[in-house]
Amino acid sequence: MPKTKYFYNQKSLSFEKVTENKGYMFWRILGVSSLIIVSVTILSIIISRYITDSYAVTVAKKNKETLFEIEQMQRELDVFDNEISELKEKDENIYRAIYGVEPPSIEKGKKDEDDFARILKLNNGEALKALREKINRLKDLNETQKKSYAQLTKLISDRSNLVNSIPAIMPVANMDLKRMASGFGYRLDPFYHTFTFHAGMDFTAEVGTEIYATGDGRVSKTKKDRWGYGNHVIINHGHGYTTLYGHLSRIAIRYGEKVKRGQLIGYVGSTGRSTGPHLHYEVRRYNNPLNPAFFYRNDLSDEQYQKMLELSQRETNRFD
């Protein structure tokens, strides 16, 4: 139960009961409430601004750090870009100078413009877009270099096959050059006694002397004739080259067999259109006869090679 309050009235010189003034109480409560609301609002604004400013400082700091990292990556990509460009230039020189072909062109991948538009909306969008463009360029260069590597590998393999396939040794052991009987060109035919074209070179040797393949290839023909080349072998070396070995006493390889340079393929004889034991040897490219004397560099020194050329040019009688 609330206590009754009294106050001393000096005019009436007596104690009187205190009565509450509702209007006064209302305004008093309103004032206190307003003061509280205003204080809370001001405090909220101060706190909000402090938090916002603090967040902005944090974001700005992070953006600065992000931009620094982007610039660092740009510098590293520039170094990588220069290295790849140097490799590309070296590749082009290899293609043109060594293999005589044009290098592969840069294959540009599909670029998504929508992706660039999205990137530009991000913080540091321009820097990120430049970074993305450089990455795309390096991707294109990388794909081109992959293609280049595959092509170079094939070219090297082809060149290696070509080097091993081209006839480059004499078909019989002839280091002293005493077995050369008749060279390439017009020579006196031993049967008709007229000058006719001799499409190969004759090597005199005893029956049974070993004959060797002059380059890597595959046997495209083995035949036994009573006339013409007699028992003979043709080897296809690829790249347009073929070699023919004629008048053999015996053939030591089979049709379709792969052979290596220096491999035994048969033995000297005098079969077919022949006046004595010898090997008739031809080199052709795309079926056009070439002078075999130009294909003995692997066997001879420079001095021996020059002597062999002189001997091959003598107008001696043919053996077939």
Side-chain angles (χ1 to χ4, degrees), residues 22 24 42 56 78 112 150 172 179 197 200 261 265 287 320:
K22 293 185 178 179
Y24 167 77
I42 293 172
D78 285 340
D112 189 354
V172 294
R179 286 179 166 171
F197 185 71
R261 178 183 292 149
I265 61 171
N287 206 36
D320 48 35

Side-chain angles (χ1 to χ4, degrees), residues 283-301:
V283 177
R284 292 177 179 261
R285 192 170 193 211
Y286 300 113
N287 206 36
N288 296 313
L290 304 175
N291 189 345
F294 298 147
F295 293 85
Y296 302 144
R297 294 293 307 200
N298 281 22
D299 264 351
L300 308 173
S301 65

Side-chain angles (χ1 to χ4, degrees), residues 252-309:
I253 50 177
R254 300 183 303 276
Y255 170 79
E257 183 178 344
K258 283 186 177 181
V259 295
K260 293 287 186 181
R261 178 183 292 149
Q263 179 178 333
L264 176 68
I265 61 171
Y267 302 88
V268 170
S270 186
T271 58
R273 188 180 184 271
S274 172
T275 59
H278 77 288
L279 168 69
H280 174 82
Y281 173 65
E282 292 184 9
V283 177
R284 292 177 179 261
R285 192 170 193 211
Y286 300 113
N287 206 36
N288 296 313
L290 304 175
N291 189 345
F294 298 147
F295 293 85
Y296 302 144
R297 294 293 307 200
N298 281 22
D299 264 351
L300 308 173
S301 65
D302 289 341
E303 184 179 349
Q304 289 173 319
Y305 186 73
Q306 290 301 321
K307 183 180 178 182
M308 181 272 302
L309 286 178

Side-chain angles (χ1 to χ4, degrees), residues 95 147-159:
Y95 274 106
K147 180 180 178 182
S148 172
Y149 177 78
Q151 288 187 354
L152 278 177
T153 301
K154 185 177 185 304
L155 285 171
I156 291 169
S157 176
D158 290 346
R159 180 58 61 91

Side-chain angles (χ1 to χ4, degrees), residues 7 19 25-26 33 80 83 94 98 125 147 161 164 200-201 224 228 239 249 288 293:
F7 76 97
T19 57
M25 291 299 295
F26 170 78
S33 299
F80 188 45
E83 291 177 352
I94 290 173
I98 298 178
K147 180 180 178 182
N161 290 336
N164 292 330
M201 182 176 284
K224 296 181 179 180
H239 312 284
S249 61
N288 296 313

